[in-house]
Amino acid sequence: MARRPRTPTTLSVAGMATLLVTVSACTSSTTEVAPTPRERQSTSEVALERPTPGSARSTAPAPRPTSDGRPQLAHLTIPDIGVRDLRVEPYRGKTDDGPGTAIQNRGIAASPHGRTGGVGPGGVGNYQVTAHRNTAGGPFAALPELRNGARIEVTTDRRTFVYRVTGTRETSFRSERSLAEQRAAVPGHPGRTPDQAVITLSTCATQEDHAAGNYWVDDLGNPEHRIDKIGRLISSRPN
């Protein structure tokens, strides 16, 4: 018995429409994108960032993390070298003068301000902090070991300012030029107008001087050289 040929299966207009709707629904579904770490970051911390040209942020600059530069009592934390809540006492003067050395002799840090000093925590300019390395408990005993990229936190009664170490300098007490570079609003560049908030952490280089056969000291017992760690403000947050 001869077999009847198969006839092709056809779809009705209604069937075609249903198929098209089904395909469209599958291809148009969207995948929910998880928020990036940047999107999840707390808005309470103000970061010092430069907006990308042409972006929406370039037309609405973020608040600056800097302060008005007012000298004030603060506490210093440097996790990488074990410094925790070290009291930093402001005074009118210059680095490692008589009043500043007297403050350091109490086992705390000193921060000069005024015509020959620096600015306060978070201020645009040079926030200068000095402390002993070998005496009065040696709060800055490990400062020479601090490396670039290390985090420095300065806490006042209202805000915490976060700096990141960017370099190391050496200061000679026997060179007026070297002292001017240490105390400059832009470290290393006397007379230059600052546009960033930086910090200078300074302590004596007694061991290094002695190793080189240099035993010179000033009237206050300070050796010739100081080791200075320079940092740049990267963010701040309310306490």
PDB file of all heavy atoms in Angstrom, residues 26-61:
ATOM      1  N   CYS A  26      12.112  36.618  26.179  1.00  0.00           N
ATOM      2  CA  CYS A  26      13.343  35.981  26.636  1.00  0.00           C
ATOM      3  C   CYS A  26      14.553  36.866  26.388  1.00  0.00           C
ATOM      4  O   CYS A  26      15.450  36.963  27.208  1.00  0.00           O
ATOM      5  CB  CYS A  26      13.552  34.637  25.945  1.00  0.00           C
ATOM      6  SG  CYS A  26      12.321  33.397  26.404  1.00  0.00           S
ATOM      7  N   THR A  27      14.589  37.499  25.224  1.00  0.00           N
ATOM      8  CA  THR A  27      15.775  38.268  24.854  1.00  0.00           C
ATOM      9  C   THR A  27      15.813  39.627  25.488  1.00  0.00           C
ATOM     10  O   THR A  27      16.856  40.256  25.542  1.00  0.00           O
ATOM     11  CB  THR A  27      15.852  38.425  23.328  1.00  0.00           C
ATOM     12  OG1 THR A  27      14.658  39.073  22.875  1.00  0.00           O
ATOM     13  CG2 THR A  27      15.998  37.083  22.641  1.00  0.00           C
ATOM     14  N   SER A  28      14.695  40.134  25.997  1.00  0.00           N
ATOM     15  CA  SER A  28      14.698  41.476  26.548  1.00  0.00           C
ATOM     16  C   SER A  28      14.843  41.507  28.059  1.00  0.00           C
ATOM     17  O   SER A  28      14.832  42.552  28.656  1.00  0.00           O
ATOM     18  CB  SER A  28      13.386  42.199  26.170  1.00  0.00           C
ATOM     19  OG  SER A  28      12.276  41.536  26.747  1.00  0.00           O
ATOM     20  N   SER A  29      15.007  40.340  28.692  1.00  0.00           N
ATOM     21  CA  SER A  29      15.153  40.329  30.147  1.00  0.00           C
ATOM     22  C   SER A  29      16.499  40.918  30.523  1.00  0.00           C
ATOM     23  O   SER A  29      17.480  40.770  29.816  1.00  0.00           O
ATOM     24  CB  SER A  29      15.044  38.891  30.677  1.00  0.00           C
ATOM     25  OG  SER A  29      16.080  38.100  30.151  1.00  0.00           O
ATOM     26  N   THR A  30      16.584  41.610  31.672  1.00  0.00           N
ATOM     27  CA  THR A  30      17.812  42.263  32.101  1.00  0.00           C
ATOM     28  C   THR A  30      18.342  41.600  33.357  1.00  0.00           C
ATOM     29  O   THR A  30      17.601  41.052  34.159  1.00  0.00           O
ATOM     30  CB  THR A  30      17.552  43.759  32.399  1.00  0.00           C
ATOM     31  OG1 THR A  30      16.556  43.846  33.410  1.00  0.00           O
ATOM     32  CG2 THR A  30      17.097  44.482  31.160  1.00  0.00           C
ATOM     33  N   THR A  31      19.676  41.677  33.504  1.00  0.00           N
ATOM     34  CA  THR A  31      20.322  41.129  34.689  1.00  0.00           C
ATOM     35  C   THR A  31      20.647  42.255  35.633  1.00  0.00           C
ATOM     36  O   THR A  31      21.257  43.247  35.233  1.00  0.00           O
ATOM     37  CB  THR A  31      21.635  40.413  34.288  1.00  0.00           C
ATOM     38  OG1 THR A  31      21.320  39.383  33.351  1.00  0.00           O
ATOM     39  CG2 THR A  31      22.320  39.830  35.521  1.00  0.00           C
ATOM     40  N   GLU A  32      20.253  42.136  36.874  1.00  0.00           N
ATOM     41  CA  GLU A  32      20.514  43.169  37.860  1.00  0.00           C
ATOM     42  C   GLU A  32      21.994  43.175  38.199  1.00  0.00           C
ATOM     43  O   GLU A  32      22.571  42.166  38.562  1.00  0.00           O
ATOM     44  CB  GLU A  32      19.703  42.918  39.120  1.00  0.00           C
ATOM     45  CG  GLU A  32      19.861  44.042  40.144  1.00  0.00           C
ATOM     46  CD  GLU A  32      18.986  43.831  41.350  1.00  0.00           C
ATOM     47  OE1 GLU A  32      18.086  42.978  41.266  1.00  0.00           O
ATOM     48  OE2 GLU A  32      19.197  44.511  42.351  1.00  0.00           O
ATOM     49  N   VAL A  33      22.669  44.366  38.066  1.00  0.00           N
ATOM     50  CA  VAL A  33      24.087  44.491  38.306  1.00  0.00           C
ATOM     51  C   VAL A  33      24.324  44.871  39.753  1.00  0.00           C
ATOM     52  O   VAL A  33      23.749  45.831  40.249  1.00  0.00           O
ATOM     53  CB  VAL A  33      24.702  45.572  37.375  1.00  0.00           C
ATOM     54  CG1 VAL A  33      26.190  45.704  37.646  1.00  0.00           C
ATOM     55  CG2 VAL A  33      24.441  45.219  35.928  1.00  0.00           C
ATOM     56  N   ALA A  34      25.186  44.102  40.400  1.00  0.00           N
ATOM     57  CA  ALA A  34      25.471  44.385  41.809  1.00  0.00           C
ATOM     58  C   ALA A  34      26.233  45.687  41.917  1.00  0.00           C
ATOM     59  O   ALA A  34      27.025  46.029  41.049  1.00  0.00           O
ATOM     60  CB  ALA A  34      26.303  43.247  42.411  1.00  0.00           C
ATOM     61  N   PRO A  35      26.012  46.462  42.982  1.00  0.00           N
ATOM     62  CA  PRO A  35      26.722  47.724  43.140  1.00  0.00           C
ATOM     63  C   PRO A  35      28.211  47.502  43.289  1.00  0.00           C
ATOM     64  O   PRO A  35      28.654  46.510  43.858  1.00  0.00           O
ATOM     65  CB  PRO A  35      26.124  48.309  44.426  1.00  0.00           C
ATOM     66  CG  PRO A  35      25.586  47.132  45.162  1.00  0.00           C
ATOM     67  CD  PRO A  35      25.122  46.184  44.095  1.00  0.00           C
ATOM     68  N   THR A  36      28.998  48.414  42.730  1.00  0.00           N
ATOM     69  CA  THR A  36      30.441  48.325  42.828  1.00  0.00           C
ATOM     70  C   THR A  36      30.884  48.752  44.211  1.00  0.00           C
ATOM     71  O   THR A  36      30.141  49.395  44.940  1.00  0.00           O
ATOM     72  CB  THR A  36      31.101  49.245  41.793  1.00  0.00           C
ATOM     73  OG1 THR A  36      30.767  50.603  42.125  1.00  0.00           O
ATOM     74  CG2 THR A  36      30.619  48.926  40.396  1.00  0.00           C
ATOM     75  N   PRO A  37      32.149  48.396  44.571  1.00  0.00           N
ATOM     76  CA  PRO A  37      32.637  48.845  45.874  1.00  0.00           C
ATOM     77  C   PRO A  37      32.563  50.351  46.034  1.00  0.00           C
ATOM     78  O   PRO A  37      32.320  50.853  47.116  1.00  0.00           O
ATOM     79  CB  PRO A  37      34.096  48.350  45.883  1.00  0.00           C
ATOM     80  CG  PRO A  37      34.076  47.154  44.980  1.00  0.00           C
ATOM     81  CD  PRO A  37      33.064  47.492  43.917  1.00  0.00           C
ATOM     82  N   ARG A  38      32.814  51.109  44.962  1.00  0.00           N
ATOM     83  CA  ARG A  38      32.724  52.562  45.037  1.00  0.00           C
ATOM     84  C   ARG A  38      31.323  53.015  45.383  1.00  0.00           C
ATOM     85  O   ARG A  38      31.116  53.947  46.147  1.00  0.00           O
ATOM     86  CB  ARG A  38      33.170  53.162  43.701  1.00  0.00           C
ATOM     87  CG  ARG A  38      32.973  54.665  43.589  1.00  0.00           C
ATOM     88  CD  ARG A  38      33.879  55.415  44.536  1.00  0.00           C
ATOM     89  NE  ARG A  38      35.270  55.235  44.203  1.00  0.00           N
ATOM     90  CZ  ARG A  38      36.262  55.729  44.910  1.00  0.00           C
ATOM     91  NH1 ARG A  38      36.030  56.393  46.016  1.00  0.00           N
ATOM     92  NH2 ARG A  38      37.503  55.538  44.540  1.00  0.00           N
ATOM     93  N   GLU A  39      30.284  52.329  44.792  1.00  0.00           N
ATOM     94  CA  GLU A  39      28.903  52.698  45.059  1.00  0.00           C
ATOM     95  C   GLU A  39      28.495  52.353  46.475  1.00  0.00           C
ATOM     96  O   GLU A  39      27.624  52.980  47.063  1.00  0.00           O
ATOM     97  CB  GLU A  39      27.975  52.013  44.054  1.00  0.00           C
ATOM     98  CG  GLU A  39      28.149  52.552  42.614  1.00  0.00           C
ATOM     99  CD  GLU A  39      27.480  51.650  41.598  1.00  0.00           C
ATOM    100  OE1 GLU A  39      27.224  50.484  41.934  1.00  0.00           O
ATOM    101  OE2 GLU A  39      27.227  52.113  40.486  1.00  0.00           O
ATOM    102  N   ARG A  40      29.157  51.333  47.041  1.00  0.00           N
ATOM    103  CA  ARG A  40      28.811  50.908  48.395  1.00  0.00           C
ATOM    104  C   ARG A  40      29.537  51.725  49.456  1.00  0.00           C
ATOM    105  O   ARG A  40      29.236  51.640  50.628  1.00  0.00           O
ATOM    106  CB  ARG A  40      29.153  49.428  48.583  1.00  0.00           C
ATOM    107  CG  ARG A  40      28.245  48.484  47.797  1.00  0.00           C
ATOM    108  CD  ARG A  40      28.410  47.074  48.311  1.00  0.00           C
ATOM    109  NE  ARG A  40      29.766  46.581  48.143  1.00  0.00           N
ATOM    110  CZ  ARG A  40      30.148  45.855  47.106  1.00  0.00           C
ATOM    111  NH1 ARG A  40      29.304  45.557  46.141  1.00  0.00           N
ATOM    112  NH2 ARG A  40      31.395  45.428  47.023  1.00  0.00           N
ATOM    113  N   GLN A  41      30.551  52.531  49.043  1.00  0.00           N
ATOM    114  CA  GLN A  41      31.336  53.282  50.004  1.00  0.00           C
ATOM    115  C   GLN A  41      30.479  54.280  50.749  1.00  0.00           C
ATOM    116  O   GLN A  41      29.621  54.921  50.189  1.00  0.00           O
ATOM    117  CB  GLN A  41      32.465  54.029  49.284  1.00  0.00           C
ATOM    118  CG  GLN A  41      33.393  54.776  50.231  1.00  0.00           C
ATOM    119  CD  GLN A  41      34.479  55.494  49.451  1.00  0.00           C
ATOM    120  OE1 GLN A  41      34.343  55.722  48.266  1.00  0.00           O
ATOM    121  NE2 GLN A  41      35.548  55.847  50.139  1.00  0.00           N
ATOM    122  N   SER A  42      30.741  54.391  52.040  1.00  0.00           N
ATOM    123  CA  SER A  42      29.987  55.333  52.858  1.00  0.00           C
ATOM    124  C   SER A  42      30.194  56.749  52.378  1.00  0.00           C
ATOM    125  O   SER A  42      31.301  57.149  52.056  1.00  0.00           O
ATOM    126  CB  SER A  42      30.438  55.216  54.316  1.00  0.00           C
ATOM    127  OG  SER A  42      29.895  56.260  55.078  1.00  0.00           O
ATOM    128  N   THR A  43      29.125  57.507  52.328  1.00  0.00           N
ATOM    129  CA  THR A  43      29.222  58.885  51.880  1.00  0.00           C
ATOM    130  C   THR A  43      29.704  59.805  52.979  1.00  0.00           C
ATOM    131  O   THR A  43      29.892  60.991  52.757  1.00  0.00           O
ATOM    132  CB  THR A  43      27.841  59.380  51.398  1.00  0.00           C
ATOM    133  OG1 THR A  43      26.902  59.233  52.469  1.00  0.00           O
ATOM    134  CG2 THR A  43      27.378  58.588  50.196  1.00  0.00           C
ATOM    135  N   SER A  44      29.926  59.286  54.188  1.00  0.00           N
ATOM    136  CA  SER A  44      30.369  60.133  55.286  1.00  0.00           C
ATOM    137  C   SER A  44      31.838  60.487  55.159  1.00  0.00           C
ATOM    138  O   SER A  44      32.297  61.446  55.748  1.00  0.00           O
ATOM    139  CB  SER A  44      30.132  59.438  56.629  1.00  0.00           C
ATOM    140  OG  SER A  44      30.895  58.264  56.730  1.00  0.00           O
ATOM    141  N   GLU A  45      32.635  59.704  54.408  1.00  0.00           N
ATOM    142  CA  GLU A  45      34.049  59.991  54.240  1.00  0.00           C
ATOM    143  C   GLU A  45      34.249  60.752  52.944  1.00  0.00           C
ATOM    144  O   GLU A  45      33.867  60.303  51.871  1.00  0.00           O
ATOM    145  CB  GLU A  45      34.872  58.702  54.236  1.00  0.00           C
ATOM    146  CG  GLU A  45      36.359  58.971  54.103  1.00  0.00           C
ATOM    147  CD  GLU A  45      37.195  57.766  54.488  1.00  0.00           C
ATOM    148  OE1 GLU A  45      36.747  56.994  55.343  1.00  0.00           O
ATOM    149  OE2 GLU A  45      38.274  57.626  53.921  1.00  0.00           O
ATOM    150  N   VAL A  46      34.868  61.913  53.043  1.00  0.00           N
ATOM    151  CA  VAL A  46      35.094  62.764  51.884  1.00  0.00           C
ATOM    152  C   VAL A  46      36.484  62.483  51.349  1.00  0.00           C
ATOM    153  O   VAL A  46      37.470  62.642  52.063  1.00  0.00           O
ATOM    154  CB  VAL A  46      34.966  64.254  52.263  1.00  0.00           C
ATOM    155  CG1 VAL A  46      35.236  65.131  51.054  1.00  0.00           C
ATOM    156  CG2 VAL A  46      33.585  64.527  52.826  1.00  0.00           C
ATOM    157  N   ALA A  47      36.581  62.039  50.105  1.00  0.00           N
ATOM    158  CA  ALA A  47      37.867  61.712  49.511  1.00  0.00           C
ATOM    159  C   ALA A  47      38.337  62.849  48.614  1.00  0.00           C
ATOM    160  O   ALA A  47      37.541  63.539  47.989  1.00  0.00           O
ATOM    161  CB  ALA A  47      37.761  60.416  48.695  1.00  0.00           C
ATOM    162  N   LEU A  48      39.660  63.023  48.560  1.00  0.00           N
ATOM    163  CA  LEU A  48      40.237  64.037  47.706  1.00  0.00           C
ATOM    164  C   LEU A  48      40.505  63.413  46.352  1.00  0.00           C
ATOM    165  O   LEU A  48      41.496  62.721  46.148  1.00  0.00           O
ATOM    166  CB  LEU A  48      41.542  64.563  48.317  1.00  0.00           C
ATOM    167  CG  LEU A  48      42.247  65.680  47.571  1.00  0.00           C
ATOM    168  CD1 LEU A  48      41.346  66.895  47.461  1.00  0.00           C
ATOM    169  CD2 LEU A  48      43.544  66.052  48.280  1.00  0.00           C
ATOM    170  N   GLU A  49      39.605  63.609  45.397  1.00  0.00           N
ATOM    171  CA  GLU A  49      39.712  63.017  44.077  1.00  0.00           C
ATOM    172  C   GLU A  49      39.552  64.097  43.028  1.00  0.00           C
ATOM    173  O   GLU A  49      38.861  65.088  43.220  1.00  0.00           O
ATOM    174  CB  GLU A  49      38.638  61.956  43.857  1.00  0.00           C
ATOM    175  CG  GLU A  49      38.736  60.791  44.825  1.00  0.00           C
ATOM    176  CD  GLU A  49      37.614  59.811  44.622  1.00  0.00           C
ATOM    177  OE1 GLU A  49      36.664  60.178  43.900  1.00  0.00           O
ATOM    178  OE2 GLU A  49      37.679  58.711  45.163  1.00  0.00           O
ATOM    179  N   ARG A  50      40.184  63.864  41.888  1.00  0.00           N
ATOM    180  CA  ARG A  50      40.035  64.775  40.773  1.00  0.00           C
ATOM    181  C   ARG A  50      39.026  64.174  39.789  1.00  0.00           C
ATOM    182  O   ARG A  50      39.250  63.092  39.264  1.00  0.00           O
ATOM    183  CB  ARG A  50      41.381  65.014  40.080  1.00  0.00           C
ATOM    184  CG  ARG A  50      42.417  65.579  41.038  1.00  0.00           C
ATOM    185  CD  ARG A  50      43.666  65.987  40.297  1.00  0.00           C
ATOM    186  NE  ARG A  50      44.676  66.468  41.226  1.00  0.00           N
ATOM    187  CZ  ARG A  50      44.707  67.699  41.713  1.00  0.00           C
ATOM    188  NH1 ARG A  50      43.759  68.559  41.368  1.00  0.00           N
ATOM    189  NH2 ARG A  50      45.656  68.073  42.546  1.00  0.00           N
ATOM    190  N   PRO A  51      37.887  64.860  39.519  1.00  0.00           N
ATOM    191  CA  PRO A  51      36.865  64.303  38.645  1.00  0.00           C
ATOM    192  C   PRO A  51      37.362  64.141  37.219  1.00  0.00           C
ATOM    193  O   PRO A  51      38.222  64.895  36.747  1.00  0.00           O
ATOM    194  CB  PRO A  51      35.731  65.349  38.703  1.00  0.00           C
ATOM    195  CG  PRO A  51      36.403  66.608  39.143  1.00  0.00           C
ATOM    196  CD  PRO A  51      37.528  66.183  40.027  1.00  0.00           C
ATOM    197  N   THR A  52      36.818  63.138  36.529  1.00  0.00           N
ATOM    198  CA  THR A  52      37.158  62.904  35.135  1.00  0.00           C
ATOM    199  C   THR A  52      36.551  63.986  34.267  1.00  0.00           C
ATOM    200  O   THR A  52      35.369  64.294  34.388  1.00  0.00           O
ATOM    201  CB  THR A  52      36.612  61.528  34.690  1.00  0.00           C
ATOM    202  OG1 THR A  52      37.145  60.535  35.561  1.00  0.00           O
ATOM    203  CG2 THR A  52      37.010  61.251  33.242  1.00  0.00           C
ATOM    204  N   PRO A  53      37.346  64.603  33.360  1.00  0.00           N
ATOM    205  CA  PRO A  53      36.787  65.652  32.506  1.00  0.00           C
ATOM    206  C   PRO A  53      35.582  65.146  31.720  1.00  0.00           C
ATOM    207  O   PRO A  53      35.598  64.046  31.162  1.00  0.00           O
ATOM    208  CB  PRO A  53      37.964  65.981  31.568  1.00  0.00           C
ATOM    209  CG  PRO A  53      39.177  65.587  32.345  1.00  0.00           C
ATOM    210  CD  PRO A  53      38.768  64.393  33.145  1.00  0.00           C
ATOM    211  N   GLY A  54      34.540  65.956  31.688  1.00  0.00           N
ATOM    212  CA  GLY A  54      33.346  65.584  30.938  1.00  0.00           C
ATOM    213  C   GLY A  54      32.357  64.772  31.729  1.00  0.00           C
ATOM    214  O   GLY A  54      31.263  64.503  31.266  1.00  0.00           O
ATOM    215  N   SER A  55      32.741  64.331  32.942  1.00  0.00           N
ATOM    216  CA  SER A  55      31.819  63.529  33.729  1.00  0.00           C
ATOM    217  C   SER A  55      30.882  64.439  34.491  1.00  0.00           C
ATOM    218  O   SER A  55      31.103  65.634  34.628  1.00  0.00           O
ATOM    219  CB  SER A  55      32.597  62.633  34.710  1.00  0.00           C
ATOM    220  OG  SER A  55      33.206  63.437  35.693  1.00  0.00           O
ATOM    221  N   ALA A  56      29.820  63.831  35.043  1.00  0.00           N
ATOM    222  CA  ALA A  56      28.861  64.611  35.809  1.00  0.00           C
ATOM    223  C   ALA A  56      29.511  65.207  37.035  1.00  0.00           C
ATOM    224  O   ALA A  56      29.180  66.298  37.467  1.00  0.00           O
ATOM    225  CB  ALA A  56      27.673  63.732  36.214  1.00  0.00           C
ATOM    226  N   ARG A  57      30.499  64.489  37.602  1.00  0.00           N
ATOM    227  CA  ARG A  57      31.135  64.959  38.824  1.00  0.00           C
ATOM    228  C   ARG A  57      31.977  66.201  38.569  1.00  0.00           C
ATOM    229  O   ARG A  57      32.247  66.969  39.463  1.00  0.00           O
ATOM    230  CB  ARG A  57      32.000  63.855  39.419  1.00  0.00           C
ATOM    231  CG  ARG A  57      31.196  62.688  39.939  1.00  0.00           C
ATOM    232  CD  ARG A  57      32.095  61.691  40.616  1.00  0.00           C
ATOM    233  NE  ARG A  57      32.700  62.284  41.805  1.00  0.00           N
ATOM    234  CZ  ARG A  57      33.561  61.617  42.563  1.00  0.00           C
ATOM    235  NH1 ARG A  57      33.903  60.394  42.257  1.00  0.00           N
ATOM    236  NH2 ARG A  57      34.082  62.191  43.620  1.00  0.00           N
ATOM    237  N   SER A  58      32.434  66.397  37.312  1.00  0.00           N
ATOM    238  CA  SER A  58      33.257  67.557  37.036  1.00  0.00           C
ATOM    239  C   SER A  58      32.456  68.844  37.118  1.00  0.00           C
ATOM    240  O   SER A  58      33.012  69.920  37.278  1.00  0.00           O
ATOM    241  CB  SER A  58      33.896  67.419  35.639  1.00  0.00           C
ATOM    242  OG  SER A  58      32.893  67.419  34.644  1.00  0.00           O
ATOM    243  N   THR A  59      31.131  68.761  36.991  1.00  0.00           N
ATOM    244  CA  THR A  59      30.292  69.947  37.090  1.00  0.00           C
ATOM    245  C   THR A  59      29.799  70.169  38.507  1.00  0.00           C
ATOM    246  O   THR A  59      29.250  71.213  38.809  1.00  0.00           O
ATOM    247  CB  THR A  59      29.074  69.813  36.154  1.00  0.00           C
ATOM    248  OG1 THR A  59      28.314  68.672  36.545  1.00  0.00           O
ATOM    249  CG2 THR A  59      29.532  69.666  34.703  1.00  0.00           C
ATOM    250  N   ALA A  60      29.994  69.187  39.382  1.00  0.00           N
ATOM    251  CA  ALA A  60      29.570  69.311  40.777  1.00  0.00           C
ATOM    252  C   ALA A  60      30.675  68.754  41.670  1.00  0.00           C
ATOM    253  O   ALA A  60      30.636  67.608  42.084  1.00  0.00           O
ATOM    254  CB  ALA A  60      28.263  68.547  41.012  1.00  0.00           C
ATOM    255  N   PRO A  61      31.724  69.550  41.938  1.00  0.00           N
ATOM    256  CA  PRO A  61      32.871  69.053  42.698  1.00  0.00           C
ATOM    257  C   PRO A  61      32.466  68.536  44.074  1.00  0.00           C
ATOM    258  O   PRO A  61      31.579  69.083  44.727  1.00  0.00           O
ATOM    259  CB  PRO A  61      33.766  70.297  42.830  1.00  0.00           C
ATOM    260  CG  PRO A  61      33.310  71.227  41.752  1.00  0.00           C
ATOM    261  CD  PRO A  61      31.847  70.952  41.569  1.00  0.00           C
TER     262      PRO A  61
END
